[in-house]
Amino acid sequence: MSDLRTPLRPKRKKVWVDYFVQFRWILVIFVVLPISATMYFLTYLGDLKSERKSFKQRQKEHDENVKKVVNRLKRRDPKRDGLVCTARKPYIAVGMRNVDYKRARHFEVDLSEFRNILDVDKERMIAKVEPLVNMGQITRVTVPMNLALAVVAELDDLTVGGLINGYGIEGSSHIYGLFSDTVVALEVVLADGRVVRATKDNEYSDLFYGIPWSQGTLGFLVSAEIKLIPVKEYMRLTYTPVRGSLQDLAQAYADSFAPRDKDPGKVPDFVEGMIYNPNEGVMMTGTYASKEEAKRKGNVINSVGWWFKPWFYQHAQTALKKGEFVEYIPTREYYHRHTRCLYWEGKLILPFGDQWWFRWTLGWLMPPKVSFLKATQGEAIRNYYHAMHVIQDLLVPLHKVGDALEWVHEEMEVYPIWLCPHRLFKLPVKTMIYPEPGFELHDRQGDTNFAQMFTDIGVYYAPGPVLRGEEFDGAEAVRRLEEWLIQNHGFQPQYAVSELSEKNFWRMFDAGHYEHCRRKYNAIGTFMSVYYKSKKGRKTEKEVQEAEQAIAEAAYAEDA
């Protein structure tokens, strides 16, 4: 795959939706941004109010809210009511996947009160939080204590519940794994109303391993205990430009965090890569640094969180012109470096949003809340984005990153591309995602005996053909992407738009342990299965119930 080619495509005739999307920035500036800023401020005030309460008071309120969930579940009549789901509005989610499963008849349970940090235990190095606590909220509390979650997902609005039930990653995942790998205990309300605490070594250990990637289809997560690590005030970040073929860029990326001599002293605390075109990229490696070190004479401090600062991905790109450089970024601002511009999606939403005059005058309103962007787009715009826009993450083994980059270039031609490594651990049970069988026998770069190194390849932007006005079939491109992932032991996070059939969904993911938990904890007939929750398109109650019944009958036949 060394000869890169992009297919010649015929020109596409514009339709009215193209013009609406082109001028959507008007709606964003005058409606979405002001409402988003107001909501951010009101949420901030609510967080401050919660923080003024004692941990004891927060725990008391939590217990009362858990009882409400239990009582609500016990009032459900399975024959009369639909399948159970949360009362959250379909558009209130950071992911781009349509929440079409709520269009089928369903029985709602309100979890909106579960948004408090219940405890920060400095002795056990554990934070106990409710599922709607987001990353911005928790870093605001922990970083001043010189503590942080082991894995802090970049965007402020990402919630603990979404990162555990789905997936979450950050530049520290090459050490700690995915967000769910840093969880110590889960408090879950089961289908029958029982409240259990699941850990990796108690009687509910199967549930503990089954919850990640289940999309909330095994029970309601109502709190989680998550690992904390000590941190310092600054991140010492090194920007290293790299040039060459996509295979060369992939190798430089691997070398930036996985030393070939396996010297642990050379492994950075944080790492990410950005590929700006088929021949250029910038690799960033970070280590925690004290305030005293950062303020030494000659060191450069860059507070990237200020609203008027250049967008982070564009700032990193300057390394291609000026060469390698080092700077110190306040730790919390580093964690949320991609929030203001939503990686580089902000450039599509507001084409001039990165210009100095906009940043200085209206940059303080950024970013727009993804939920409000979704709420104001309508069916036609939503379908347009699915066809003409790509937001996908490819989780692939490290040794296949070069091949994956070449595939994305030839099939989608999307740039920039985000690279973030993560460990995929060998676990006592085979969960929905798992390392390649026998990986430990190959002694590949980045791998250990207990974990295989994977990489999240973030493909977010309009494809090259769309930008050139050429024809592009987004649904077909995603189908080919999914087949490539299946063939190469890769995984597609379920927040994204998926074209997978049920058969192919379970070719990509392993169903064994998940279905075991569905049967054991009576989720069948109460919660929608993860495939139907992730499936693209409208769902009818009849379709879902028939599928659930087929699964139940197969399970009972298997147990007989």
Side-chain angles (χ1 to χ4, degrees), residues 426-484:
K426 288 172 62 177
L427 298 174
V429 296
K430 189 177 182 182
T431 57
M432 285 181 63
I433 66 168
Y434 52 94
E436 291 179 291
F439 75 89
E440 64 273 23
L441 303 177
H442 297 280
D443 195 30
R444 297 189 183 101
Q445 187 174 8
D447 292 353
T448 65
N449 288 330
F450 57 85
Q452 183 178 16
M453 193 64 72
F454 268 59
T455 284
D456 183 336
I457 301 177
V459 184
Y460 327 123
Y461 210 62
V466 173
L467 296 175
R468 293 191 297 267
E470 300 170 358
E471 289 186 358
F472 182 80
D473 187 339
E476 180 57 30
V478 170
R479 274 190 286 271
R480 291 196 298 270
L481 166 65
E482 291 163 343
E483 183 58 32
W484 190 93

Side-chain angles (χ1 to χ4, degrees), residues 286-545:
T287 55
Y288 288 110
S290 67
K291 180 168 55 177
E292 292 73 23
E293 177 185 340
K295 293 188 176 181
R296 286 175 190 160
K297 187 176 180 180
N299 288 342
V300 176
I301 293 178
N302 182 9
S303 296
V304 299
W306 285 104
W307 75 89
F308 53 82
K309 287 281 188 172
W311 288 357
F312 184 77
Y313 82 95
Q314 294 178 340
H315 171 65
Q317 193 174 10
T318 62
L320 293 172
K321 288 187 177 180
K322 64 183 185 181
E324 181 174 292
F325 66 95
V326 177
E327 63 185 13
Y328 291 79
I329 300 175
T331 295
R332 185 168 185 268
E333 295 182 26
Y334 174 77
Y335 286 154
H336 303 296
R337 62 201 178 278
H338 292 300
T339 290
R340 190 156 43 93
C341 54
L342 300 175
Y343 288 91
W344 28 89
E345 284 289 308
K347 185 68 175 174
L348 283 178
I349 299 165
L350 289 171
F352 45 78
D354 57 342
Q355 299 300 303
W356 68 268
W357 56 269
F358 180 88
R359 287 188 277 109
W360 277 93
T361 57
L362 294 174
W364 57 276
L365 290 171
M366 292 290 282
K369 287 187 77 72
V370 174
S371 57
F372 291 146
L373 289 172
K374 292 165 66 176
T376 57
Q377 66 186 10
E379 193 78 16
I381 303 299
R382 184 172 72 164
N383 292 336
Y384 175 91
Y385 280 128
H386 289 177
M388 301 295 168
H389 188 227
V390 177
I391 296 185
Q392 295 283 341
D393 284 88
L394 293 62
L395 307 190
V396 301
L398 177 61
H399 67 93
K400 294 185 178 180
V401 169
D403 292 344
L405 291 176
E406 290 182 341
W407 190 95
V408 170
H409 176 81
E410 293 181 5
E411 295 289 338
M412 294 180 170
E413 202 182 344
V414 171
Y415 293 97
I417 293 174
W418 186 61
L419 301 178
C420 185
H422 70 90
R423 276 177 165 162
L424 193 54
F425 293 99
K426 288 172 62 177
L427 298 174
V429 296
K430 189 177 182 182
T431 57
M432 285 181 63
I433 66 168
Y434 52 94
E436 291 179 291
F439 75 89
E440 64 273 23
L441 303 177
H442 297 280
D443 195 30
R444 297 189 183 101
Q445 187 174 8
D447 292 353
T448 65
N449 288 330
F450 57 85
Q452 183 178 16
M453 193 64 72
F454 268 59
T455 284
D456 183 336
I457 301 177
V459 184
Y460 327 123
Y461 210 62
V466 173
L467 296 175
R468 293 191 297 267
E470 300 170 358
E471 289 186 358
F472 182 80
D473 187 339
E476 180 57 30
V478 170
R479 274 190 286 271
R480 291 196 298 270
L481 166 65
E482 291 163 343
E483 183 58 32
W484 190 93
L485 287 172
I486 291 170
Q487 296 297 330
N488 289 275
H489 199 86
F491 304 97
Q492 175 192 45
Q494 298 138 329
Y495 81 87
V497 176
S498 172
E499 300 290 338
L500 288 168
S501 65
E502 187 168 11
K503 177 181 178 181
N504 285 339
F505 185 89
W506 294 119
R507 286 175 63 209
M508 180 180 291
F509 300 101
D510 190 87
H513 185 72
Y514 170 74
E515 291 297 347
H516 157 78
C517 290
R518 293 269 292 167
R519 296 192 297 269
K520 179 177 177 180
Y521 296 106
N522 301 315
I524 296 174
T526 301
F527 298 103
M528 186 177 292
S529 74
V530 66
Y531 169 71
Y532 278 90
K533 194 169 183 180
S534 305
K535 180 185 174 185
K536 178 182 175 182
R538 296 174 182 269
K539 285 87 171 169
T540 65
E541 181 188 9
K542 183 173 182 292
E543 172 191 18
V544 174
Q545 293 283 13

Side-chain angles (χ1 to χ4, degrees), residues 162-289:
L163 296 169
I164 294 175
N165 282 309
Y167 105 113
I169 193 171
E170 164 59 305
S172 59
S173 289
H174 64 297
I175 299 173
Y176 300 105
L178 295 176
F179 188 89
S180 56
D181 293 315
T182 69
V183 172
V184 176
L186 298 169
E187 183 184 14
V188 182
V189 180
L190 300 175
D192 59 6
R194 283 183 296 153
V195 182
V196 302
R197 182 176 181 269
T199 70
K200 64 181 180 181
D201 51 12
N202 72 358
E203 60 183 307
Y204 300 106
S205 61
D206 52 356
L207 183 64
F208 178 84
Y209 289 115
I211 289 287
W213 292 77
S214 70
Q215 296 293 320
T217 59
L218 297 178
F220 283 126
L221 176 65
V222 289
S223 76
E225 297 169 47
I226 308 171
K227 179 180 180 179
L228 290 169
I229 60 170
V231 301
K232 298 179 181 179
E233 295 89 351
Y234 285 84
M235 185 67 64
R236 183 184 187 274
L237 196 63
T238 302
Y239 302 78
T240 304
V242 293
R243 290 180 171 85
S245 68
L246 287 172
Q247 292 286 354
D248 294 332
L249 301 186
Q251 186 58 59
Y253 156 74
D255 290 341
S256 71
F257 68 92
R260 300 191 196 196
D261 61 5
K262 300 187 178 181
D263 180 357
K266 297 178 181 178
V267 178
D269 294 325
F270 275 78
V271 61
E272 69 177 329
M274 294 184 200
I275 309 298
Y276 291 96
N277 59 58
N279 304 111
E280 294 180 316
V282 175
M283 306 304 150
M284 285 148 283
T285 53
T287 55
Y288 288 110

Side-chain angles (χ1 to χ4, degrees), residues 36-90:
S36 296
T38 302
M39 288 304 300
Y40 281 126
F41 181 67
L42 293 176
T43 301
Y44 171 70
L45 292 180
D47 293 343
L48 291 182
K49 181 180 178 181
S50 171
E51 290 165 19
R52 282 198 295 267
K53 298 176 183 177
S54 66
F55 286 135
K56 184 177 180 180
Q57 176 63 27
R58 293 181 221 175
Q59 183 64 50
K60 180 181 177 182
E61 293 178 1
H62 170 78
D63 293 340
E64 291 172 354
N65 288 328
V66 170
K67 288 179 182 177
K68 292 177 184 177
V69 172
V70 171
N71 292 335
R72 173 68 174 161
L73 279 174
K74 288 183 175 179
R75 287 199 298 269
R76 172 178 173 262
D77 182 344
K79 295 181 179 179
R80 184 188 69 234
D81 300 318
L83 294 172
V84 175
C85 66
T86 68
R88 184 180 67 175
K89 297 297 182 185

